[in-house]
Amino acid sequence: MLASYSRTLRERAIERYYDWARTTPVGRRVHHTLRVWRHERRYRIKTEFMFQSVELEVNSMCNRKCSYCPNVTDKRPPGYMKDDLFRKIIDELGEMDFTGRISYHFYGEPLLDKRLPGFVKYTRDKAPHSSSEIYSNGDFLTLDVFRKYVDAGLDNFLITQHDNIMPPNLQHIMDNITEEEKKHIVIRFAKDRFMINRSGLITSLRTVNEASNSPCDWPLTSVVVTMTGNVVLCCNDYYETEVMGNLSTHSLREIWTNPRFEEFRQALSRGDRWISPLCEKCDYVPSAARLRRIVPS
């Protein structure tokens, strides 16, 4: 009871702080000054915003063509991220003691990459305080494969079942794993997901006649890396139209703090979606809880 009460008080205090920081000039100045100081001290990155997730396109191929994915009408160039590039990225994350999420996808199915168990183990060894997740359609997942990845250090399988049924292979896994192992897998169904139009690429979903004035938190909190090492603006940049830099030639710190990337983040924190055609056509709006935590630059 006491712990629950203390947690509630803490949550209320945090919400009041963000209300103050978001709505007053002095609050914004104090908030951003403290954030820059923290990120420079913690990560040696001088920036107001810091990424909390890293998505790596280890392979670009997918065995499905879902109606709510750009793969339904086109496909990414087939290929794989080079091993040495993958290791370079993970080494950099380990060196900065990254504590956020690392996942192994863009628009491909990661389980098609036979190197992935080794990549998961390398992530656990070199960036031990991060959490690793595999986003998958689950078509190639078996009980033995599931346990192989958990043994390699995977924190979580996030499975989206696009046929909206529990297939036999996934049911077999859920029927045979322990309660402890169940902590490493989440199965969700496409019908329960709120699909977005992928910056206008999915014309069967909502079209955007006018750019939203809602802030967007994706480029503020995530790094998306394609198989060639390009860091793109966000996960909706299917065709790599807004490239912030390449990790084959530059470090994560250099790319994250380059002036162009900073300009995008500052604009999107204010809801200025004119900054890119990607953003003007996008129908993604953060949840109310996430919006309350976005402090305009």
Side-chain angles (χ1 to χ4, degrees):
M1 177 72 76
L2 183 59
S4 177
Y5 180 68
S6 298
R7 186 163 54 249
T8 300
L9 287 179
R10 181 176 180 274
E11 290 170 353
R12 287 177 179 172
I14 291 173
E15 291 302 322
R16 284 197 294 270
Y17 166 78
Y18 274 101
D19 285 342
W20 172 71
R22 197 178 62 254
T23 59
T24 67
V26 66
R28 288 196 294 273
R29 286 197 300 271
V30 169
H31 175 80
H32 289 303
T33 298
L34 290 174
R35 295 266 292 181
V36 171
W37 176 82
R38 180 181 183 275
H39 296 155
E40 192 169 18
R41 183 172 181 269
R42 173 72 172 78
Y43 301 106
R44 302 197 303 281
I45 297 179
K46 191 173 183 179
T47 179
E48 296 174 12
F49 305 99
M50 181 60 195
F51 54 89
Q52 299 160 16
S53 68
V54 178
E55 298 178 2
L56 304 175
E57 184 184 34
V58 295
N59 72 284
S60 61
M61 291 77 75
C62 187
N63 62 303
R64 285 184 175 245
K65 288 189 174 183
C66 301
S67 62
Y68 36 80
C69 174
N71 285 331
V72 72
T73 56
D74 208 344
K75 61 181 180 180
R76 298 271 301 142
Y80 297 87
M81 180 178 285
K82 292 181 178 179
D83 293 44
D84 58 352
L85 174 59
F86 177 85
R87 290 193 294 266
K88 174 184 181 292
I89 297 168
I90 299 301
D91 289 347
E92 289 187 26
L93 292 169
E95 186 269 335
M96 65 173 64
D97 192 24
F98 180 63
T99 57
R101 172 177 62 82
I102 299 173
S103 54
Y104 311 92
H105 73 287
F106 188 33
Y107 286 90
E109 166 52 50
L111 293 185
L112 288 171
D113 193 334
K114 303 304 181 186
R115 306 169 301 167
L116 194 54
F119 282 173
V120 170
K121 186 177 186 307
Y122 193 86
T123 302
R124 176 57 58 229
D125 291 344
K126 298 297 182 177
H129 297 133
S130 66
S131 63
S132 57
E133 289 190 347
I134 292 177
Y135 287 67
S136 171
N137 57 40
D139 291 352
F140 303 102
L141 193 60
T142 66
L143 181 58
D144 288 343
V145 169
F146 169 79
R147 285 176 168 160
K148 181 178 182 180
Y149 278 101
V150 172
D151 289 344
L154 185 73
D155 290 286
N156 192 38
F157 265 108
L158 188 57
I159 307 296
T160 301
Q161 223 333 287
H162 301 285
D163 296 326
N164 293 311
I165 60 172
M166 181 68 86
N169 66 313
L170 296 183
Q171 189 63 62
H172 178 73
I173 292 170
M174 299 308 294
D175 289 344
N176 288 278
I177 58 177
T178 66
E179 289 301 313
E180 182 63 28
E181 288 174 322
K182 286 180 181 178
K183 297 176 182 178
H184 297 282
I185 186 168
V186 173
I187 299 176
R188 56 191 186 177
F189 298 96
K191 64 181 176 64
D192 300 323
R193 305 295 300 162
F194 182 81
M195 302 298 178
I196 62 173
N197 70 3
R198 296 297 178 186
S199 293
L201 292 180
I202 310 302
T203 56
S204 60
L205 294 177
R206 298 155 299 278
T207 56
V208 174
N209 296 320
E210 272 185 37
S212 167
N213 61 1
S214 167
C216 177
D217 57 342
W218 278 349
L220 280 57
T221 59
S222 65
V223 171
V224 180
V225 188
T226 70
M227 62 182 174
T228 61
N230 281 341
V231 175
V232 293
L233 180 60
C234 82
C235 60
N236 288 327
D237 196 357
Y238 185 82
Y239 292 111
E240 303 180 59
T241 60
E242 298 285 6
V243 177
M244 303 296 109
N246 189 284
L247 285 169
S248 296
T249 55
H250 292 81
S251 69
L252 267 170
R253 286 189 177 93
E254 290 172 324
I255 293 174
W256 186 254
T257 57
N258 82 52
R260 186 159 170 256
F261 213 168
E262 291 281 17
E263 181 185 8
F264 273 110
R265 288 194 290 270
Q266 290 168 6
L268 291 170
S269 75
R270 299 189 298 266
D272 296 336
R273 296 204 179 192
W274 53 262
I275 192 70
S276 168
L278 282 174
C279 306
E280 288 180 325
K281 298 172 185 175
C282 182
D283 64 352
Y284 167 71
V285 175
S287 66
R290 293 170 75 106
L291 278 172
R292 286 196 295 270
R293 299 293 179 92
I294 301 175
V295 179
S297 180

